Each structure stands twice: as C-alpha cells, then as structure tokens.
C-alpha cells in the first residue's frame, strides 16, 4: 500500500498558509508580555475560542469551558475576542502573500491558498524557497508564525500545512505523496465529514492512501462529485481551482449573538433576535440578495436549541418585514422561566431581487422600501452600523452585550485613537511596546 501513486515534479505549485493559533497569536503579538504564557480567547462566550500553544501544552482544547480551564490551567490569561484586530491582521496577512502572487484565495480569517505555479524564475527561487520567504515575511511583519503546505493540489497542500505545526513548512512532491497519506486518517482529509468517514470505514478504507488507491469506477459508484474531486486531488491531480475573485455566490447569511448573563426576559431576548435580523438584512442588501427562507433559533442556558422556519410570501431583505413575522414565531418558541443565552437568524435561499409589475401597487411599495433602506444604509455607512435601528432591538443596544465575569471588552475598544468614536474606526490595530 506504500507504492507511489504518481511520479513527476510539481505540475502546479499550490500553497496552503495557515496561522498558528491565530487569535491567541494576535494577542501575543500586540502585547509582548503575553508571549510564553497560556493565552485563551473567548471570555465573552465562556469557552475557549482559540488558545496559544502554551495553553494547548497544558491540555486546554477548543470549546473547553472557562471554569474547566481555570481548574486545569490556573495561570491562564483569558481575554475577550477582539475580532476587529484579528480582521485587520488578517488583511495584512493576505497583503504579504499577494506580494509573491496575485492568485490568492482568502479561505478564512487565518488561512489562504496561493498559486505560485511558474513563479520560480520571476522570484529567482525554487517553490520551497518562495514558500519559506513568505513564511519569514509573515513572522517578521505580523509577529507570529504560520505553517505552510506546498503541493500540486489544494487538498494535499492542506495536509502539508498541518503536518508540522507550529511554524512548519512541508513540501509534498508527487513522487512522495504516498508517504504522507499512508498514516493520515481518511476522516481527517479536508472535506471528508463523519458520514463519508463511516462509509469509507465500511469498505475498509481507514487512511487517505486507502482511499486514493481505490479505482475510479468504485469512487464514481459510491462517492458524490465533491468526494470524487478529493480522490483526484489526493492522487496529485488538481481539479479544485482557487477562488480568487470576490465571493458573489452567497447561499445564506447567518447572524448570531451570545449575551451574558442569560436572560428570561422575553423583551430582552427578542431585542437580541431583532438585532440579529437587522444585521442579517444589512448584509443581504450589501450582497444585493433577498432571502426566500428564514430560520430563527434561541439557545438556552443549558445549550438546548429552539428553532423554527419562517415562510415568506416573497423574497425580501427588509428587516421590518421579517420582524413582523418573527414576533409571533418568537412567542411560540419562547418558554417562560427558561433562561436564554443566544439568538440566531439565518437568511437562506438567497436570490437576486426581481422587479415584477402588478395591478395592486405591491411592486411600487417594494420600490419605495428599497429607496428607504438605501438611505438608511448610507447613514449607517457614514455614522456606524446600528446608528439607525428599530425600537424592537433597543434593549440589545442599550447596554453592554456581556456583563459580570464576561464583561471585559477588548483592549482595542477601550482605547480609541484620535478621531475615533465607538462606531467610527480608523482600521488600525493597536500594539503595546516599550519606548526606550
């Protein structure tokens, strides 16, 4: 089973670049006093959203609850997540990679793919040396490390970036693919989920190499198209293009907010849901899309979920229309006496708005609403996201999202730069340093 799959050099050279413990690393980079300490982000959610390698070494895992963390790691530094700073550093991360190639897919806030095929001569470096240069630039300019996988396909590059974390650089030439796949569990391959893992195990497929060695007829018979593509990519054949263009095929928009302490006040919980709806509709209008279906969800203090689907008479991205139908649905979902800690709304089956003339003035009313929301969005763009909001969401805006143990706000929000307000920011991260 360890026989080579294919022979040859890099027909394509794809990088997967992955930030090491990204959120926690951002915190350590901007505050040198945190370096070498177990740092955990996610205080506002009550769980570990990201943890430094020092915290991982002490047994802290993702989604571990804070009271468990304090028992396991008493010296842990627990911080509220500062997504504003993480997002700004993520943009710098992409900018560094784009100095070497314009073909960059921003796959996530802490990871991207980059195609460096054919760039050896312009950069006067081998593919591995280009990857090393990117890795060095990222560490020097952002202050923390990244792991990189270099291979001829996206799936193999993903395996490479995870191979030697943190700060690893793993090149997988086609003639050595089998060495990396023979010990890699099939269920850990990017894109293969629990159901497919169970199917593969049923047929005695346990490693990525087991799967790659199956013949094409078997794969076509038992696997859908996405898994057929993974099979090709594991064998060194690139079939997944990089998505370098701005994303326009949004299938859904989801907005969720947690709040502490949990509340059993229906007015407060509905206000949180109303704020979700306003934010989701803003995003849908930004994409110039309307929702055909809407789901709302309430999460209880004990992490139970109560949800329902709302039926729309026509696609919409107008918040007031969704609030009108969400209110009676909320009344059915809400259980008096139960404490809730989060609300969520999902706008699904997004579609491009269409103008449909009718005899009863409906299209005219819709056009008027569109102009109204265009004006509201212009005001929000100039003065802040929630400068204008419905009375239904007032209680969600009137006060902090979190109080008590989770009330700490990120340092970047507590220290504004000159010219900034709570809602108008300059897009500059804040770093701590000693001046000599």
């Amino acid at each position: 089973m360890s026989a080579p799959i294919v022979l040859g050099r890099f027909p394509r050279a794809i990088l997967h670049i992955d930030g090491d413990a990204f959120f926690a690393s951002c915190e350590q980079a901007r505050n040198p006093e945190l370096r070498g300490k177990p740092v955990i982000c996610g205080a506002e959610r009550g769980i570990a959203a990201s943890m430094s390698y020092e915290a991982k070494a002490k047994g802290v895992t993702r989604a571990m609850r804070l009271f468990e963390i304090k028992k396991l790691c008493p010296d842990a530094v627990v911080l509220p997540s500062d997504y504003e700073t993480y997002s700004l550093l993520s943009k710098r991360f992409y900018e560094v990679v784009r100095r070497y190639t314009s073909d960059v897919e921003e796959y996530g806030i802490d990871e991207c793919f980059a195609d460096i095929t054919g760039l050896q001569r312009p950069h006067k470096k081998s593919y591995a040396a280009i990857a090393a240069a990117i890795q060095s630039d990222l560490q020097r300019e952002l202050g923390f490390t990244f792991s990189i996988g270099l291979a001829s396909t996206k799936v193999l590059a993903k395996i490479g970036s995870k191979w030697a974390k943190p700060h690893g650089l793993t090149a997988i030439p086609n003639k050595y693919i089998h060495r990396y796949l023979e010990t890699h569990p099939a269920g850990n391959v990017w894109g293969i989920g629990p159901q497919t893992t169970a199917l593969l195990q049923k047929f005695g497929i346990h490693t990525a190499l087991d799967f790659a060695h199956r013949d094409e007829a078997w794969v076509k018979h038992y696997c859908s198209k996405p898994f057929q593509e993974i099979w090709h990519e594991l064998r060194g054949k690139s079939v997944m293009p990089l998505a370098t263009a701005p994303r326009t095929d949004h299938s859904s928009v989801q907005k969720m907010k947690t709040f502490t302490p949990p509340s059993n006040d229906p007015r407060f919980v509905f206000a949180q849901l109303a704020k979700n709806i306003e934010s989701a509709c803003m995003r849908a209008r930004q994409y110039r899309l309307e929702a055909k279906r809407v789901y709302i969800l309430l999460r209880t203090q004990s992490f139970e979920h109560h949800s329902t689907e709302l039926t729309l008479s026509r696609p919409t991205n107008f918040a007031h229309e969704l609030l009108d139908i969400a209110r009676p649905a909320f009344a059915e979902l809400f259980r008096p006496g139960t404490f809730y800690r989060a609300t969520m709304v999902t706008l699904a089956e997004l579609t491009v708005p269409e103008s449909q003339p009718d005899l009863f003035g409906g299209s005219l009313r819709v056009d008027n609403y569109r102009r109204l929301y265009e004006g509201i969005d212009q005001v929000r763009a100039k003065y802040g996201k929630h400068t204008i909001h419905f009375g239904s969401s007032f209680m969600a805006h009137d006060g902090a999202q979190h109080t008590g143990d989770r009330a700490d706000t990120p340092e970047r929000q507590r220290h504004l730069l000159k010219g900034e307000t709570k809602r108008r920011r300059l897009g500059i991260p804040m770093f701590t340093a000693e001046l000599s």
Side-chain angles (χ1 to χ4, degrees), residues 168-207:
L169 171 52
T170 304
I172 306 179
N174 278 354
K175 64 180 180 180
Y176 295 135
I177 288 175
H178 60 289
R179 294 184 182 177
Y180 293 87
L181 301 191
E182 62 187 356
T183 59
H184 195 84
N188 288 354
V189 173
W190 176 48
I192 293 182
Q195 289 188 352
T196 306
T197 301
L199 171 71
L200 297 178
Q201 289 178 343
K202 182 179 178 181
F203 288 95
I205 297 171
H206 300 288
T207 70

Side-chain angles (χ1 to χ4, degrees), residues 96-108:
V96 170
V97 179
R98 284 198 170 93
R99 290 179 202 158
Y100 291 84
T101 174
S102 59
D103 293 331
V104 176
E105 176 182 338
E106 299 176 5
Y107 188 70

Side-chain angles (χ1 to χ4, degrees), residues 87 141 155 167 211 237 245 257 287 296 370 372 405:
S87 177
E141 298 185 30
V155 171
H167 202 205
F211 184 43
K237 180 182 178 182
K257 276 286 186 183
Y287 295 156
I296 61 174
R370 281 186 184 143
L372 172 63
D405 293 342

Side-chain angles (χ1 to χ4, degrees), residues 65-193:
R65 298 190 186 188
L66 295 186
F67 72 89
E68 297 174 310
I69 294 171
K70 290 177 181 175
K71 290 180 182 177
L72 185 68
C73 185
D75 59 337
V77 180
V78 182
L79 302 171
S81 301
D82 180 1
Y83 295 108
E84 180 183 357
T85 293
Y86 308 154
S87 177
L88 291 170
L89 293 181
S90 178
K91 289 178 181 176
R92 290 192 178 183
F93 158 39
Y94 301 141
E95 288 170 2
V96 170
V97 179
R98 284 198 170 93
R99 290 179 202 158
Y100 291 84
T101 174
S102 59
D103 293 331
V104 176
E105 176 182 338
E106 299 176 5
Y107 188 70
I109 192 170
D110 61 345
E111 59 179 316
C112 74
F113 290 98
D115 188 343
I116 57 172
T117 306
L119 295 179
Q120 300 134 302
R121 182 166 295 177
H123 289 302
K124 299 178 180 177
K125 291 181 174 67
S126 67
Y127 290 138
I130 295 173
I134 293 174
Q135 190 178 45
S136 176
D137 285 358
L138 287 171
Q139 183 178 7
R140 185 178 64 255
E141 298 185 30
L142 273 72
F144 54 91
T145 62
F146 288 74
S147 295
I148 299 182
L150 164 62
S152 56
T153 72
K154 293 172 73 174
V155 171
L156 291 172
K158 263 273 195 182
I159 291 174
S161 68
K162 298 287 188 296
W163 197 260
K165 269 185 163 291
H167 202 205
L169 171 52
T170 304
I172 306 179
N174 278 354
K175 64 180 180 180
Y176 295 135
I177 288 175
H178 60 289
R179 294 184 182 177
Y180 293 87
L181 301 191
E182 62 187 356
T183 59
H184 195 84
N188 288 354
V189 173
W190 176 48
I192 293 182

